[in-house]
Amino acid sequence: MDRSYSRPSTTTAAASPRTQAEDAKRARNLFGEIGALLVGDEELTSAPWHPLRAGDLVHIHYEQAGDMAPFGETYIVADVSDGLFSMQLLAHTYSGPGADGMVGCFAVESADDPLYEAWFEAGPQRLTIVRDGYPVHAGGAR
């Protein structure tokens, strides 16, 4: 992101809102840090498909990191009552060592917005959200 104008930069790889905020914090840029978090929140909460609904699928794609091959995780959203939803791991493609600690970290038992952590940590560019068989958010699409 071009922090000055909150526009995507064409020269740098996309970073999650949290990574952008941490970069600004390291640079001692308080306004950049807060701005990155506010922009991330606005992008999520103003999306036409937001909030998630029961039955939605959330796929997270992880790029290759060191010796670890790229992999993906798919979560399913369920209504757990009183306006709260869960997001449970449905499937993954990770086949490396320590799969128990590597997959399912964005599973949520009960939250009003179960996507929030994945959106900020992994980043919207790594997420694909499917509703009723159609992608409503294709973060990795170029």
Side-chain angles (χ1 to χ4, degrees):
M1 294 286 277
D2 179 282
R3 292 190 211 305
S4 305
Y5 301 102
S6 299
R7 286 187 267 191
S9 169
T10 57
T11 59
T12 59
S16 71
R18 180 172 182 219
T19 300
Q20 292 174 33
E22 288 175 351
D23 290 347
K25 185 176 185 175
R26 276 191 292 282
R28 297 183 182 267
N29 178 354
L30 179 62
F31 293 113
E33 179 182 3
I34 294 169
L37 297 172
L38 289 174
V39 167
D41 181 74
E42 177 66 21
E43 288 175 346
L44 173 60
T45 57
S46 68
W49 47 262
H50 187 268
L52 291 179
R53 297 181 195 160
D56 286 355
L57 298 174
V58 177
H59 179 78
I60 304 172
H61 171 77
Y62 299 94
E63 291 87 7
Q64 180 172 348
D67 293 335
M68 188 173 68
F71 71 98
E73 300 177 312
T74 302
Y75 295 84
I76 188 165
V77 177
D79 187 342
V80 294
S81 77
D82 297 328
L84 300 176
F85 295 88
S86 68
M87 194 165 83
Q88 299 303 312
L89 182 65
L90 184 64
H92 67 85
T93 60
Y94 183 72
S95 60
D100 290 341
M102 289 296 299
V103 298
C105 65
F106 293 114
V108 176
E109 292 290 325
S110 179
D112 58 347
D113 193 346
L115 184 63
Y116 208 81
E117 186 175 357
W119 186 269
F120 277 84
E121 296 285 333
Q125 74 280 6
R126 292 190 179 93
L127 302 177
T128 301
I129 300 166
V130 177
R131 176 172 291 156
D132 300 327
Y134 296 97
V136 293
H137 174 79
R142 296 194 188 348

